[in-house]
């Protein structure tokens, strides 16, 4: 049960504490932030409403802790990360329980997220030892006009304090995907979890605490974004920001100044279906890609662009599979569970009503009870409908019928997003040509979009983000290059 057993010290019986200097504390504000269960629409948990002064102390403390951590051997950093990974897996049940109650994630998927997070941390520990344990050695005579009088030793050093801000839909996995690379690279880490998902993140942080990381190295502050959000992202003590979320990331990028940024900001992932595709296989991928976790995934299929000659058959097959989806509470492991909040539900409903007003074909009756929205396929969607371009982040999927591959590519590239896309065809030559033409960070051939495995590069173009994620890329992003040049009095050559 959340906040009990080994997790008892993170909870005071009413409000979950924040983590600072190796201790769980109550905020001096005396205030808390309520977390509403998407299913019951009642307050499930409360977390501390940290103050700006507490944020100042956290970051000052993190800077001090980082200096000592940077002197810690790589093998020791990796050893502690492996301990944290094991603890995450050992305590997967209470963390998964939080995910079910905070963000209505189906129970099995919640457990999978925690186990996957443990695997990510362990992999990151091993990868960090490999790539950070190697450097470069350059000699001056490789550049024209120079004798061998200079040796250059190139190494990777930490940035300092990394601020990690994960999203509600993967508050554990997309937190550790930032935490583990930061720590193995020698940085300290300040985590600002999303409000929905904060308690799961606090339980995850406690696993790092139990692993024995030094005091002050990892901190977790909770509170209202309106009070500490900008204060954190604009803080002069922050040396790097890794953010996953939505439009907020654009505002952060404009305010952050000379700070390295790693950002993934959503997508409108297009699924292009050609005439020669295996339509049964495509339908399975569309339903899995479009409706898993009620479509609340950055890499969900967000628009189907299908050749008109096979559109009727595909829509029929997709509808048959949608009819088999279970709808209900996450505790029952239903396929479709409530979306995260009332505001999200209202936004999705606005897109649906706009499509109805403009003549889209409703393949199912639109049905909503509170935050629970039944899966809906919209056929004959046109470019003048909002759903053709906006990201619903819910179980509603538009189908646009196209008459040429070029038309599909054009729609994909006209979007302000560019996270992922996918192509279904039996012709690998066509697939490669279309993939090259699509302006997205990743293109999946004969599979729905997906983030992972977690060591694969993951990035977006245009408004979908800045930089690249994936374990190796994240480690590299959270370091900087340092060169040490040895100047020799005379040229020297091996065996010369």
């Amino acid at each position: 049960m959340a906040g009990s057993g080994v997790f008892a010290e993170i909870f005071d019986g009413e409000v979950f504490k924040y983590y600072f200097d190796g201790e769980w504390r109550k905020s001096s504000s005396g205030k808390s932030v309520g977390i509403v269960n998407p299913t019951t629409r009642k307050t499930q948990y409360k977390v501390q409403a940290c103050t700006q002064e507490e944020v100042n102390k956290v970051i000052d403390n993190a800077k001090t802790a980082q200096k000592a951590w940077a002197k810690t051997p790589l093998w020791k950093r990796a050893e502690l990360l492996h301990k944290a990974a094991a603890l995450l897996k050992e305590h997967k049940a209470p963390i998964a329980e939080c995910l079910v109650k905070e963000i209505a994630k189906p129970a099995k998927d919640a457990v999978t997220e925690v186990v996957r997070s443990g695997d990510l941390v362990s992999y990151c520990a091993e990868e960090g030892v490999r790539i950070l344990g190697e450097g470069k050695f350059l000699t001056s005579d490789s550049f024209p006009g120079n004798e061998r009088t200079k040796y250059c030793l190139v190494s990777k050093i930490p940035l300092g304090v990394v601020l990690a801000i994960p999203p509600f839909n993967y508050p554990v996995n997309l937190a550790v995907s930032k935490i583990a690379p930061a720590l193995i690279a020698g940085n300290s880490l300040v985590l600002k979890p999303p409000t929905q998902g904060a308690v799961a993140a606090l339980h995850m942080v406690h696993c790092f605490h139990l692993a024995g990381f030094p005091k002050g190295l990892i901190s977790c502050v909770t509170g209202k974004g309106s009070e500490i959000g900008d204060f954190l992202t604009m803080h002069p003590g922050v040396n790097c920001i890794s953010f996953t979320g939505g439009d907020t990331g654009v505002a952060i990028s404009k305010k952050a100044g000379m700070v390295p940024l790693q950002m993934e900001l959503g997508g409108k992932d297009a699924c292009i279906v050609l005439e020669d595709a295996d339509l049964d296989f495509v339908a399975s991928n569309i339903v899995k890609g479009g409706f898993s976790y009620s479509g609340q995934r950055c890499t969900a299929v967000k628009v189907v662009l299908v050749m008109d000659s096979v559109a009727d058959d595909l829509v029929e097959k997709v509808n048959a599979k949608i009819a088999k989806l279970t709808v209900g509470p996450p505790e029952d492991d239903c396929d479709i569970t409530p979306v995260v909040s009332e505001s999200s539900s209202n936004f999705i409903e606005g897109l649906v009503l706009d499509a109805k007003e403009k003549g889209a074909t409703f393949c199912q009756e639109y049905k909503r009870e509170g935050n629970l929205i039944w899966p809906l396929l919209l056929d004959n969607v046109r470019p003048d409908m909002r759903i053709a371009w906006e990201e619903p982040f819910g179980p509603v999927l538009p189908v646009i019928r196209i008459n040429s591959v070029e038309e599909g590519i054009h729609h994909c590239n006209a979007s302000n997003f560019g996270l992922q896309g996918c192509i279904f065809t039996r012709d690998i030559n066509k697939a490669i040509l279309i993939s090259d033409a699509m302006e997205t960070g990743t293109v999946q051939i004969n599979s729905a979009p997906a983030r992972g495995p977690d060591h694969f590069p993951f990035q977006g173009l245009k408004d979908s983000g800045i930089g690249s994620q994936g374990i190796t890329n994240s480690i590299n992003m959270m370091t900087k290059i340092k060169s040490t040049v040895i100047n020799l009095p005379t040229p020297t050559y091996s065996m010369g």
Side-chain angles (χ1 to χ4, degrees), residues 128-457:
V129 168
R130 281 191 292 269
I131 66 175
L132 297 170
E134 296 181 353
K136 271 187 175 182
F137 174 69
L138 304 175
T139 58
S140 54
D141 64 318
S142 59
F143 195 86
N146 285 269
E147 294 285 351
R148 187 172 293 192
T149 56
K150 294 175 183 286
Y151 288 162
C152 182
L153 307 178
V154 183
S155 58
K156 293 175 180 173
I157 61 173
L159 295 174
V161 178
V162 174
L163 172 61
I165 308 176
F168 81 83
N169 56 346
Y170 289 91
V172 175
N173 184 257
L174 283 173
V176 300
S177 72
K178 307 171 190 306
I179 295 170
L183 295 179
I184 194 66
N187 300 289
S188 59
L189 190 289
V190 177
L191 177 68
K192 168 60 177 75
T195 299
Q196 302 285 143
V199 175
L202 291 169
H203 281 71
M204 173 271 296
V205 168
H206 194 56
C207 291
F208 282 81
H209 168 77
L210 295 173
F213 282 89
K215 288 185 176 182
L217 188 68
I218 305 167
S219 303
C220 185
V221 292
T222 55
K224 295 181 179 180
S226 58
E227 293 181 9
I228 63 171
D230 281 353
F231 191 75
L232 271 166
T233 57
M234 298 173 68
H235 199 288
V238 169
N239 304 113
C240 172
I241 300 174
S242 179
F243 174 91
T244 304
D247 294 344
T248 304
V250 178
I252 291 173
S253 69
K254 292 177 179 177
K255 298 173 183 176
M258 295 285 287
V259 173
L261 300 176
Q262 182 186 53
M263 295 199 164
E264 189 266 285
L265 309 178
K268 185 69 176 176
D269 299 9
C271 172
I272 298 177
V273 184
L274 305 192
E275 297 100 328
D276 65 341
D278 178 339
L279 297 185
D280 289 305
F281 178 71
V282 175
S284 295
N285 272 270
I286 286 174
V287 172
K288 181 182 178 183
F291 296 100
S292 292
Y293 188 37
S294 302
Q296 296 175 109
R297 296 162 41 249
C298 294
T299 54
V301 173
K302 305 281 175 56
V303 60
V304 177
L305 303 165
V306 56
M307 297 296 287
D308 191 53
S309 60
V310 296
D312 286 343
D313 287 345
L314 179 63
V315 167
E316 181 181 346
K317 292 177 185 295
V318 172
N319 281 328
K321 293 184 181 298
I322 289 175
K324 296 177 182 178
L325 295 176
T326 56
V327 181
E331 290 84 355
D332 294 345
D333 262 326
C334 292
D335 299 310
I336 304 296
T337 56
V339 297
V340 71
S341 66
E342 184 176 356
S343 60
S344 294
S345 303
N346 292 340
F347 176 77
I348 295 164
E349 185 166 294
L351 297 178
V352 171
L353 295 177
D354 175 78
K356 183 176 184 179
E357 182 183 324
K358 293 174 181 174
T361 301
F362 279 55
C363 297
Q364 294 80 24
E365 178 187 1
Y366 174 64
K367 185 177 178 182
R368 172 186 172 186
E369 291 180 4
N371 293 332
L372 185 61
I373 296 175
W374 270 249
L376 176 62
L377 189 72
L378 297 174
D379 194 8
N380 296 301
V381 168
R382 299 190 314 272
D384 65 327
M385 300 176 188
R386 289 174 56 199
I387 192 73
W389 305 105
E390 297 181 42
E391 184 181 24
F393 233 63
V396 179
L397 182 60
V399 176
I400 297 177
R401 297 172 178 236
I402 58 175
N403 294 303
S404 67
V405 169
E406 291 74 19
E407 187 180 344
I409 294 170
H410 174 76
H411 185 93
C412 172
N413 293 349
S415 172
N416 61 315
F417 291 113
L419 187 59
Q420 289 205 8
C422 61
I423 306 158
F424 288 91
T425 176
R426 300 174 197 265
D427 188 333
I428 190 62
N429 295 323
K430 282 185 180 178
I432 294 296
L433 289 171
I434 297 169
S435 171
D436 286 347
M438 292 173 72
E439 296 173 2
T440 61
T442 302
V443 177
Q444 303 275 352
I445 295 174
N446 292 324
S447 177
R451 178 178 59 86
D454 287 317
H455 66 304
F456 280 19

